[in-house]
Amino acid sequence: MSPLEEILHRRIAAEGPMTIAEYMATCLGHPRYGYYPTRDPLGAAGDFTTGPEISQMFGELLGLCLAQCWLEQGRPSSFVLAELGPGRGTLMADATRAMRGVPGMLEAARLHLVETSPRLRDEQHRRLAPLMPVWHDSVANLPEAPLYLLANEFFDALPIRQFLRSGEGWCERVVGLAEGRLAFGLTEPAPHGELEHRLADTREGDLVETCAPATGIAEDIGRRIASQGGAALIVDYGSARSLGDTFQAVRRHDKVSPLDAPGTADLTAHVDFGALATAMPCATTTLTPQGVFLERLGITDRARALAARLSGAQLDSHVAAHRRLTHPEEMGSLFKTLGAFPEGAAPPPGLLDT
Protein backbone atom coordinates (compact mmCIF):
# COMPACT_ATOMS: atom_id res chain seq x y z
CA MET A 1 0.00 0.00 0.00
CA SER A 2 1.40 3.41 -1.00
CA PRO A 3 1.71 6.27 1.53
CA LEU A 4 -1.17 8.15 -0.09
CA GLU A 5 -3.38 5.07 0.00
CA GLU A 6 -2.61 4.70 3.70
CA ILE A 7 -3.62 8.33 4.24
CA LEU A 8 -6.91 7.72 2.41
CA HIS A 9 -7.62 4.55 4.40
CA ARG A 10 -7.02 6.32 7.72
CA ARG A 11 -9.19 9.26 6.73
CA ILE A 12 -12.09 7.09 5.59
CA ALA A 13 -11.83 4.92 8.72
CA ALA A 14 -11.98 8.02 10.91
CA GLU A 15 -14.47 10.20 9.01
CA GLY A 16 -16.45 7.83 6.79
CA PRO A 17 -16.68 7.63 2.98
CA MET A 18 -15.51 10.65 0.99
CA THR A 19 -17.05 12.25 -2.08
CA ILE A 20 -15.49 11.70 -5.50
CA ALA A 21 -14.46 15.37 -5.37
CA GLU A 22 -12.59 14.88 -2.10
CA TYR A 23 -10.91 11.76 -3.47
CA MET A 24 -9.86 13.51 -6.72
CA ALA A 25 -8.55 16.57 -4.91
CA THR A 26 -6.43 14.45 -2.57
CA CYS A 27 -5.05 12.15 -5.28
CA LEU A 28 -4.21 14.97 -7.68
CA GLY A 29 -3.12 17.67 -5.27
CA HIS A 30 -1.66 16.17 -2.08
CA PRO A 31 1.49 18.28 -1.54
CA ARG A 32 3.77 15.30 -0.92
CA TYR A 33 2.18 12.31 -2.66
CA GLY A 34 -0.29 13.86 -5.13
CA TYR A 35 -0.16 13.29 -8.86
CA TYR A 36 0.54 16.81 -10.13
CA PRO A 37 3.04 17.98 -7.50
CA THR A 38 5.27 14.94 -8.01
CA ARG A 39 5.65 14.51 -11.78
CA ASP A 40 5.57 15.87 -15.32
CA PRO A 41 2.58 13.94 -16.70
CA LEU A 42 2.93 14.93 -20.36
CA GLY A 43 4.41 13.24 -23.42
CA ALA A 44 5.45 9.75 -24.40
CA ALA A 45 7.30 9.24 -21.10
CA GLY A 46 4.33 10.50 -19.09
CA ASP A 47 0.70 9.49 -18.91
CA PHE A 48 -1.06 11.53 -21.60
CA THR A 49 -0.44 13.91 -24.50
CA THR A 50 -2.31 17.15 -25.17
CA GLY A 51 -3.02 19.04 -28.39
CA PRO A 52 -0.12 21.50 -28.02
CA GLU A 53 2.33 18.64 -27.56
CA ILE A 54 1.06 16.97 -30.74
CA SER A 55 1.69 19.87 -33.10
CA GLN A 56 2.70 23.53 -33.08
CA MET A 57 -0.34 24.22 -35.28
CA PHE A 58 -2.70 23.89 -32.34
CA GLY A 59 -1.17 26.72 -30.32
CA GLU A 60 -0.51 28.90 -33.35
CA LEU A 61 -4.15 28.86 -34.42
CA LEU A 62 -5.49 29.50 -30.92
CA GLY A 63 -3.05 32.39 -30.58
CA LEU A 64 -4.21 33.93 -33.86
CA CYS A 65 -7.83 33.42 -32.81
CA LEU A 66 -7.25 35.49 -29.67
CA ALA A 67 -5.28 38.02 -31.72
CA GLN A 68 -8.27 38.61 -33.97
CA CYS A 69 -10.46 39.14 -30.90
CA TRP A 70 -7.95 41.70 -29.62
CA LEU A 71 -8.00 43.55 -32.96
CA GLU A 72 -11.79 43.55 -33.19
CA GLN A 73 -12.12 44.91 -29.63
CA GLY A 74 -10.00 47.97 -30.40
CA ARG A 75 -6.51 46.75 -29.55
CA PRO A 76 -6.54 47.34 -25.75
CA SER A 77 -3.22 48.99 -24.85
CA SER A 78 -2.78 46.77 -21.78
CA PHE A 79 -4.39 43.39 -21.20
CA VAL A 80 -3.96 40.12 -19.33
CA LEU A 81 -2.93 37.19 -21.51
CA ALA A 82 -3.65 34.15 -19.36
CA GLU A 83 -3.57 30.38 -19.51
CA LEU A 84 -5.09 27.95 -17.05
CA GLY A 85 -3.03 24.80 -16.48
CA PRO A 86 -0.26 25.65 -18.97
CA GLY A 87 1.49 22.26 -18.82
CA ARG A 88 5.03 22.70 -20.12
CA GLY A 89 4.26 26.11 -21.59
CA THR A 90 4.10 24.71 -25.12
CA LEU A 91 0.66 26.11 -25.97
CA MET A 92 1.51 29.63 -24.84
CA ALA A 93 4.92 29.54 -26.54
CA ASP A 94 3.29 28.62 -29.86
CA ALA A 95 0.42 31.08 -29.38
CA THR A 96 2.70 34.02 -28.60
CA ARG A 97 5.01 33.17 -31.50
CA ALA A 98 2.00 33.55 -33.80
CA MET A 99 0.95 36.76 -32.01
CA ARG A 100 4.29 38.35 -32.84
CA GLY A 101 2.97 38.88 -36.35
CA VAL A 102 0.24 41.18 -34.99
CA PRO A 103 1.79 44.64 -34.44
CA GLY A 104 1.55 45.86 -30.86
CA MET A 105 -0.14 42.82 -29.36
CA LEU A 106 2.67 41.29 -27.34
CA GLU A 107 3.82 44.73 -26.23
CA ALA A 108 0.37 45.23 -24.69
CA ALA A 109 0.19 41.77 -23.14
CA ARG A 110 0.96 40.90 -19.53
CA LEU A 111 1.38 37.15 -19.25
CA HIS A 112 -0.25 35.42 -16.27
CA LEU A 113 -0.28 31.66 -15.73
CA VAL A 114 -2.50 29.72 -13.33
CA GLU A 115 -0.44 26.72 -12.23
CA THR A 116 -0.01 24.96 -8.89
CA SER A 117 2.71 22.41 -9.80
CA PRO A 118 6.25 23.61 -8.93
CA ARG A 119 7.72 21.18 -11.44
CA LEU A 120 5.55 22.45 -14.29
CA ARG A 121 6.18 26.07 -13.30
CA ASP A 122 9.88 25.40 -13.85
CA GLU A 123 9.15 24.04 -17.33
CA GLN A 124 6.96 27.05 -18.12
CA HIS A 125 9.67 29.44 -16.98
CA ARG A 126 12.18 27.73 -19.23
CA ARG A 127 10.00 28.28 -22.31
CA LEU A 128 8.36 31.59 -21.48
CA ALA A 129 10.92 33.57 -19.45
CA PRO A 130 11.35 36.32 -22.10
CA LEU A 131 7.63 37.12 -21.69
CA MET A 132 8.12 37.64 -17.93
CA PRO A 133 5.19 35.47 -16.79
CA VAL A 134 3.55 35.89 -13.40
CA TRP A 135 2.19 32.74 -11.72
CA HIS A 136 -0.98 32.34 -9.67
CA ASP A 137 -2.55 29.47 -7.76
CA SER A 138 -6.08 30.61 -8.64
CA VAL A 139 -8.00 32.41 -11.37
CA ALA A 140 -9.33 34.73 -8.66
CA ASN A 141 -5.83 36.21 -8.30
CA LEU A 142 -5.58 37.41 -11.91
CA PRO A 143 -5.40 41.22 -12.26
CA GLU A 144 -8.52 43.14 -13.25
CA ALA A 145 -8.01 44.08 -16.92
CA PRO A 146 -9.21 42.98 -20.36
CA LEU A 147 -8.70 39.21 -20.31
CA TYR A 148 -7.63 37.03 -23.23
CA LEU A 149 -7.52 33.48 -21.90
CA LEU A 150 -6.69 29.94 -23.00
CA ALA A 151 -7.75 26.82 -21.10
CA ASN A 152 -6.84 23.55 -22.80
CA GLU A 153 -7.53 20.34 -20.86
CA PHE A 154 -7.85 22.28 -17.62
CA PHE A 155 -11.47 21.85 -16.56
CA ASP A 156 -11.44 18.05 -16.96
CA ALA A 157 -9.10 17.68 -13.96
CA LEU A 158 -11.24 19.68 -11.53
CA PRO A 159 -12.91 17.59 -8.80
CA ILE A 160 -16.41 16.35 -9.60
CA ARG A 161 -19.25 14.88 -7.58
CA GLN A 162 -21.44 12.06 -8.93
CA PHE A 163 -25.15 11.56 -8.25
CA LEU A 164 -27.39 8.61 -9.17
CA ARG A 165 -31.08 9.38 -9.75
CA SER A 166 -33.32 7.56 -7.27
CA GLY A 167 -36.98 8.49 -7.46
CA GLU A 168 -37.21 12.25 -6.94
CA GLY A 169 -33.89 12.29 -5.09
CA TRP A 170 -30.25 11.43 -5.63
CA CYS A 171 -27.74 8.99 -4.15
CA GLU A 172 -24.21 10.38 -4.10
CA ARG A 173 -21.41 8.08 -5.23
CA VAL A 174 -18.62 7.99 -2.65
CA VAL A 175 -15.30 6.26 -1.97
CA GLY A 176 -15.17 4.06 1.11
CA LEU A 177 -13.60 0.80 2.28
CA ALA A 178 -14.71 -2.77 1.61
CA GLU A 179 -12.70 -5.76 2.81
CA GLY A 180 -9.71 -3.50 3.44
CA ARG A 181 -9.69 -1.96 -0.03
CA LEU A 182 -10.91 1.30 -1.52
CA ALA A 183 -14.38 0.79 -3.02
CA PHE A 184 -17.22 2.82 -4.47
CA GLY A 185 -20.48 3.09 -2.59
CA LEU A 186 -23.71 5.13 -2.53
CA THR A 187 -25.33 7.33 0.08
CA GLU A 188 -29.02 7.13 0.88
CA PRO A 189 -31.22 9.05 -1.60
CA ALA A 190 -31.94 12.68 -0.74
CA PRO A 191 -33.05 15.84 -2.55
CA HIS A 192 -30.28 18.06 -3.95
CA GLY A 193 -31.25 21.61 -4.82
CA GLU A 194 -28.47 22.02 -7.39
CA LEU A 195 -29.89 19.03 -9.30
CA GLU A 196 -33.55 20.03 -9.20
CA HIS A 197 -33.43 21.08 -12.87
CA ARG A 198 -32.02 17.66 -13.85
CA LEU A 199 -35.18 15.83 -12.75
CA ALA A 200 -36.74 16.96 -16.01
CA ASP A 201 -34.14 15.37 -18.32
CA THR A 202 -33.09 12.24 -16.38
CA ARG A 203 -34.76 9.02 -15.33
CA GLU A 204 -34.33 6.39 -12.64
CA GLY A 205 -30.75 5.11 -12.46
CA ASP A 206 -29.19 7.94 -14.52
CA LEU A 207 -25.89 9.32 -13.24
CA VAL A 208 -24.96 12.98 -13.50
CA GLU A 209 -21.77 14.79 -12.52
CA THR A 210 -21.38 18.26 -11.05
CA CYS A 211 -18.26 20.38 -10.68
CA ALA A 212 -18.62 23.41 -8.43
CA PRO A 213 -14.99 24.53 -8.92
CA ALA A 214 -15.50 24.58 -12.71
CA THR A 215 -18.65 26.70 -12.61
CA GLY A 216 -17.04 29.04 -10.07
CA ILE A 217 -14.03 29.58 -12.33
CA ALA A 218 -16.26 30.01 -15.39
CA GLU A 219 -18.30 32.65 -13.56
CA ASP A 220 -15.12 34.57 -12.66
CA ILE A 221 -13.82 34.43 -16.24
CA GLY A 222 -17.18 35.52 -17.62
CA ARG A 223 -17.45 38.40 -15.15
CA ARG A 224 -14.07 39.74 -16.17
CA ILE A 225 -14.85 39.52 -19.87
CA ALA A 226 -18.31 41.05 -19.44
CA SER A 227 -17.01 44.03 -17.46
CA GLN A 228 -13.56 44.63 -19.02
CA GLY A 229 -13.55 42.92 -22.40
CA GLY A 230 -11.49 40.12 -23.85
CA ALA A 231 -12.18 36.54 -24.88
CA ALA A 232 -11.69 32.99 -23.64
CA LEU A 233 -11.15 29.74 -25.52
CA ILE A 234 -11.93 26.59 -23.54
CA VAL A 235 -10.91 23.32 -25.21
CA ASP A 236 -11.55 20.01 -23.49
CA TYR A 237 -13.32 16.70 -23.82
CA GLY A 238 -16.95 16.70 -22.79
CA SER A 239 -20.45 17.51 -23.98
CA ALA A 240 -23.27 20.02 -23.67
CA ARG A 241 -24.63 18.35 -20.53
CA SER A 242 -23.50 15.73 -18.06
CA LEU A 243 -25.06 12.28 -18.33
CA GLY A 244 -23.33 9.03 -17.37
CA ASP A 245 -20.18 8.04 -15.51
CA THR A 246 -17.12 9.70 -17.10
CA PHE A 247 -14.75 9.51 -14.11
CA GLN A 248 -11.55 7.92 -15.38
CA ALA A 249 -7.87 7.35 -14.65
CA VAL A 250 -4.99 7.19 -17.13
CA ARG A 251 -1.51 5.85 -16.45
CA ARG A 252 1.14 5.42 -19.14
CA HIS A 253 -1.48 6.28 -21.78
CA ASP A 254 -3.75 3.41 -20.71
CA LYS A 255 -6.98 3.55 -18.75
CA VAL A 256 -6.84 2.05 -15.27
CA SER A 257 -9.21 1.92 -12.31
CA PRO A 258 -9.49 5.31 -10.55
CA LEU A 259 -9.05 3.47 -7.24
CA ASP A 260 -5.85 1.70 -8.29
CA ALA A 261 -2.63 3.09 -6.73
CA PRO A 262 -4.01 6.56 -5.90
CA GLY A 263 -1.67 9.42 -6.73
CA THR A 264 0.02 7.60 -9.62
CA ALA A 265 -2.57 8.19 -12.36
CA ASP A 266 -4.26 11.22 -13.90
CA LEU A 267 -7.89 11.50 -12.78
CA THR A 268 -10.34 13.34 -15.01
CA ALA A 269 -13.99 13.58 -16.03
CA HIS A 270 -15.78 14.94 -19.06
CA VAL A 271 -16.57 18.64 -18.92
CA ASP A 272 -20.19 19.78 -18.68
CA PHE A 273 -19.88 22.67 -21.12
CA GLY A 274 -23.53 23.61 -20.67
CA ALA A 275 -22.89 24.28 -16.99
CA LEU A 276 -19.85 26.42 -17.85
CA ALA A 277 -21.79 28.50 -20.37
CA THR A 278 -24.70 28.98 -17.97
CA ALA A 279 -22.32 30.19 -15.25
CA MET A 280 -20.70 32.83 -17.47
CA PRO A 281 -22.28 36.33 -17.26
CA CYS A 282 -21.04 37.16 -20.77
CA ALA A 283 -21.81 35.93 -24.28
CA THR A 284 -20.79 32.39 -25.19
CA THR A 285 -20.54 30.52 -28.47
CA THR A 286 -22.16 27.32 -29.59
CA LEU A 287 -20.21 24.26 -28.54
CA THR A 288 -18.03 23.22 -31.47
CA PRO A 289 -16.01 20.03 -32.08
CA GLN A 290 -12.28 20.68 -31.95
CA GLY A 291 -11.77 19.37 -35.47
CA VAL A 292 -14.39 21.71 -36.92
CA PHE A 293 -12.97 24.66 -34.98
CA LEU A 294 -9.41 24.04 -36.18
CA GLU A 295 -10.53 23.53 -39.78
CA ARG A 296 -12.41 26.84 -39.69
CA LEU A 297 -9.23 28.51 -38.46
CA GLY A 298 -7.29 27.09 -41.41
CA ILE A 299 -5.34 24.20 -39.96
CA THR A 300 -5.25 22.32 -43.26
CA ASP A 301 -3.68 25.27 -45.09
CA ARG A 302 -1.16 25.66 -42.28
CA ALA A 303 -0.44 21.92 -42.39
CA ARG A 304 0.26 22.09 -46.13
CA ALA A 305 2.60 25.05 -45.67
CA LEU A 306 4.60 23.22 -43.01
CA ALA A 307 4.57 19.97 -44.99
CA ALA A 308 6.33 21.66 -47.93
CA ARG A 309 9.51 21.77 -45.86
CA LEU A 310 9.30 18.19 -44.58
CA SER A 311 10.02 14.71 -45.92
CA GLY A 312 10.31 11.11 -44.79
CA ALA A 313 9.53 10.34 -41.16
CA GLN A 314 9.06 14.01 -40.27
CA LEU A 315 6.39 14.38 -42.95
CA ASP A 316 4.66 11.19 -41.82
CA SER A 317 4.61 12.46 -38.22
CA HIS A 318 3.25 15.82 -39.32
CA VAL A 319 0.42 14.24 -41.33
CA ALA A 320 -0.44 11.99 -38.37
CA ALA A 321 -0.52 15.00 -36.05
CA HIS A 322 -2.96 16.84 -38.30
CA ARG A 323 -5.21 13.79 -38.38
CA ARG A 324 -5.02 13.28 -34.63
CA LEU A 325 -6.09 16.86 -33.91
CA THR A 326 -8.94 17.01 -36.42
CA HIS A 327 -10.29 13.60 -37.40
CA PRO A 328 -13.62 12.59 -35.81
CA GLU A 329 -12.19 9.21 -34.80
CA GLU A 330 -9.25 10.85 -33.03
CA MET A 331 -9.52 14.10 -31.02
CA GLY A 332 -11.67 15.92 -33.55
CA SER A 333 -15.09 15.03 -32.14
CA LEU A 334 -14.41 14.04 -28.52
CA PHE A 335 -12.80 17.41 -27.78
CA LYS A 336 -14.99 20.50 -27.93
CA THR A 337 -14.40 24.25 -27.96
CA LEU A 338 -16.40 26.90 -26.12
CA GLY A 339 -15.73 30.59 -26.61
CA ALA A 340 -16.61 33.48 -24.30
CA PHE A 341 -16.74 37.14 -25.35
CA PRO A 342 -18.46 40.42 -24.40
CA GLU A 343 -22.10 41.00 -25.33
CA GLY A 344 -22.26 42.93 -28.59
CA ALA A 345 -18.77 41.90 -29.72
CA ALA A 346 -17.95 39.44 -32.48
CA PRO A 347 -17.44 35.84 -31.33
CA PRO A 348 -13.94 34.38 -31.59
CA PRO A 349 -13.09 33.27 -35.15
CA GLY A 350 -14.07 29.68 -35.89
CA LEU A 351 -16.95 29.76 -33.41
CA LEU A 352 -20.57 30.81 -33.79
CA ASP A 353 -22.65 33.07 -31.56
CA THR A 354 -25.55 31.37 -29.80
Side-chain angles (χ1 to χ4, degrees), residues 32 34-42 87-89 115-127 135:
R32 187 171 180 184
Y35 180 76
Y36 284 116
T38 58
R39 71 200 67 222
D40 177 353
L42 296 165
R88 293 172 173 169
E115 177 61 69
T116 58
S117 166
R119 182 171 295 192
L120 290 177
R121 282 190 180 192
D122 289 342
E123 280 289 312
Q124 293 154 21
H125 181 267
R126 187 175 67 80
R127 282 185 166 87
W135 282 270

Side-chain angles (χ1 to χ4, degrees), residues 161-174 185-192 195 198-199 202-210 243-245:
R161 294 173 69 182
Q162 292 186 320
F163 296 91
L164 193 74
R165 173 82 180 267
S166 178
E168 295 301 298
W170 302 87
C171 302
E172 182 162 11
R173 197 177 187 213
V174 294
L186 292 171
T187 64
E188 292 297 317
H192 282 274
L195 294 173
R198 295 306 307 268
L199 293 175
T202 57
R203 55 189 179 182
E204 184 76 16
D206 280 349
L207 186 145
V208 300
E209 297 168 341
T210 66
L243 186 63
D245 178 12

